[in-house]
Amino acid sequence: MNSLLQDAQMAARRVGLPSDTIVINGGRPLRGTIDVRGAKNLVTKAMVASLLGDTKSILRDVPDISDVHVVASLLEAHGVTISGSAETGILIFDPSNVASANSAEIDALSGSSRIPILFCGPLLHRLGHAFIPDLGGCRIGDRPIDFHLDALRKFGAVVDKLPSGIDISAPNGLHGAKIEFAYPSVGATEQVLLTAVRVKGTTELKNAAIEPEIMDLIAVLQKMGAIISVEPNRVILIEGVDSLKGYDHRALFDRNEAASWASAALATGGDITCKGAKQQDMMTFLNVFRKIGGAFDIEDDGIRFYHPGGDLKPVVIETDVHPGFMTDWQQPLIIALTQAIGTSIVHETVYEDRFGFTDALVEMGANIQVHKHGLEGGERRVPRRPLEQAAVITGPTKLHGSEIVVPDLRGGFSHLIAALTADGRSTVSNVGLIGRGYGDFVAKLEKLGADFSFEV
């Protein structure tokens, strides 16, 4: 069995899916109201932060997704006691008995997530040692961890790359450092924050990521007793402290999930209200959504996204770090662009292999050309990067049902939208990967009136 299929099946089991294959009869608008819980990209990092506290931590609005189950298992493998459940949305972490974990147990879990690399700083503080086996996650490009390891070395850690994984120790303790990223990596910024809060001295991080999820992680750490200031021009200063306590925190909403359902509403000609979504963190997406021809209403407890009728319009999108247009937003939105009149262009500048999901869309009838080395010329706001690609989408094209194999999390949800948009019957396999980041997506499909069943 290939590793992608294994990951998908394991993820499906973690979130209680009856099968890893879903059959969809498309061509009907999605309409209704759903709840959007805490952001996957914050919740899993806040769970790791609980390792740093001397007392219990409480995390609220936790989504029931596979990645949460993986991180919970990794924490339990290190001696953290967890009560509550992702089903109820509240998890309580007791780190009073943190200990070194069995490497085989970590290895069995690490293939399903890239979160283990973020355990390094907290484990170095608690145990003086960390071991990280092979890293998993979505296959959307190289995603090197050199930023992480280089930062740890600057703190004074000793990093040994072994055939079985990465062994990290701090024989002389950890100290403050001056760190500057060549690119504002979200994961590496999280690594620095989770490590710097307990080192001796002050850390200055330049060219840091400043995504809302980063700001929320900083809020979590500040509640624990950390001293962190966000300065102008992507500079973050962290003054190390001797100890931290637990936190009580409600996670910010998942803007990636809200944007995905918004794209589904637009592509299917539907009307979806995402309770919990907030305008401020989605402004860049909302601008593009409106340019395409979508409509939205900002409500006290969420955002209503809908197709107001009329023709959809083509757009040019350049993905970028926050506050730019997120790379996670472009994949689901491309389905709506296949229904726009004219030619749209999506410049992907963050990951080098994020258009692999479009092969299935072409088989369904979409007119999409992927330029592996990007497109030269034209006015650009985001500086061209050597790894970037471009997708040219010409529409409108009628999509028809097909057999689809989900390749990754965001691409998988995009395939789900395509199947819901298409005329006829589609069979979508590897849907467990969607469960890595979309909580209760099956129940939400039911609430929105989708016609589907699981292939058992």
Side-chain angles (χ1 to χ4, degrees), residues 46-47 50 56-59 93 220 224 245-249:
M47 292 173 70
S50 70
K56 292 180 180 180
S57 291
I58 303 173
L59 186 59
F93 309 94
V220 168
M224 299 177 76
K245 62 181 180 179
Y247 61 80
D248 188 334
H249 188 77

Side-chain angles (χ1 to χ4, degrees), residues 151-395:
L152 290 167
R153 290 187 183 100
K154 288 184 177 179
F155 284 120
V158 176
V159 179
D160 291 321
K161 292 185 178 180
L162 308 173
S164 55
I166 304 168
D167 188 82
I168 304 169
S169 59
N172 299 313
L174 299 176
H175 53 73
K178 290 185 179 294
I179 300 169
E180 182 170 4
F181 293 149
Y183 183 79
S185 162
V186 170
T189 298
E190 293 162 343
Q191 180 74 259
V192 170
L193 289 169
L194 291 167
T195 304
V197 288
R198 287 282 307 274
V199 304
K200 298 290 185 184
T202 298
T203 297
E204 180 185 64
L205 174 59
K206 292 184 177 180
N207 204 21
I210 54 172
E211 271 70 4
E213 294 79 12
I214 293 287
M215 296 299 106
D216 211 34
L217 178 59
I218 289 173
V220 168
L221 294 169
Q222 188 180 60
K223 286 180 177 181
M224 299 177 76
I227 302 173
I228 305 171
S229 59
V230 181
E231 305 290 323
N233 302 317
R234 294 185 176 274
V235 175
I236 299 177
L237 297 178
I238 308 106
E239 297 179 37
V241 297
D242 292 334
S243 64
L244 295 171
K245 62 181 180 179
Y247 61 80
D248 188 334
H249 188 77
R250 185 175 301 278
L252 86 167
F253 81 101
D254 196 316
R255 59 200 177 112
N256 292 336
E257 183 183 2
S260 296
W261 288 113
S263 299
L266 193 56
T268 65
D271 187 332
I272 300 176
T273 296
C274 294
K275 284 200 167 183
K278 299 186 185 303
Q279 177 184 11
Q280 186 171 349
D281 293 333
M282 295 194 71
M283 283 184 163
T284 304
F285 176 85
L286 294 174
N287 286 336
V288 174
F289 191 79
R290 176 170 282 162
K291 286 180 182 179
I292 295 171
F296 58 87
D297 297 333
I298 306 299
E299 302 174 352
D300 288 342
D301 59 350
I303 304 177
R304 174 192 173 202
F305 300 94
Y306 58 100
H307 192 311
D311 297 329
L312 299 183
K313 307 174 188 70
V315 292
V316 175
I317 297 170
E318 302 168 55
T319 66
D320 197 9
V321 295
H322 185 77
F325 192 91
M326 285 190 67
T327 178
D328 289 326
W329 293 340
Q330 59 90 348
Q331 288 173 290
L333 200 57
I334 278 179
I335 314 303
L337 292 178
T338 66
Q339 306 307 303
I341 298 177
T343 300
S344 299
I345 302 174
V346 178
H347 299 278
E348 173 55 55
T349 75
V350 179
Y351 290 115
E352 69 271 32
D353 192 20
R354 202 146 207 182
F355 288 133
F357 80 102
T358 62
D359 292 342
L361 304 183
V362 172
E363 290 183 11
M364 298 176 77
N367 184 347
I368 303 175
Q369 291 183 317
V370 174
H371 297 260
K372 296 287 188 183
H373 304 289
L375 290 171
E376 298 288 352
E379 292 186 9
R380 292 288 300 275
R381 185 187 64 81
V382 180
R384 180 174 168 80
R385 298 187 68 212
L387 57 70
E388 76 175 46
Q389 294 185 315
V392 178
I393 306 104
T394 303

Side-chain angles (χ1 to χ4, degrees), residues 125-139:
H125 289 304
R126 294 298 299 261
L127 306 173
H129 175 266
F131 177 76
I132 309 299
D134 181 42
L135 296 176
C138 290
R139 292 149 178 83

Side-chain angles (χ1 to χ4, degrees), residues 93-143:
F93 309 94
D94 182 352
S96 55
N97 294 310
V98 171
S100 295
N102 181 291
S103 60
E105 191 172 3
I106 304 174
D107 194 36
L109 293 163
S110 65
S112 302
S113 172
R114 291 181 179 270
I115 297 296
I117 190 67
L118 294 177
F119 276 66
C120 294
L123 288 178
L124 286 173
H125 289 304
R126 294 298 299 261
L127 306 173
H129 175 266
F131 177 76
I132 309 299
D134 181 42
L135 296 176
C138 290
R139 292 149 178 83
I140 54 177
D142 193 23
R143 299 179 74 163

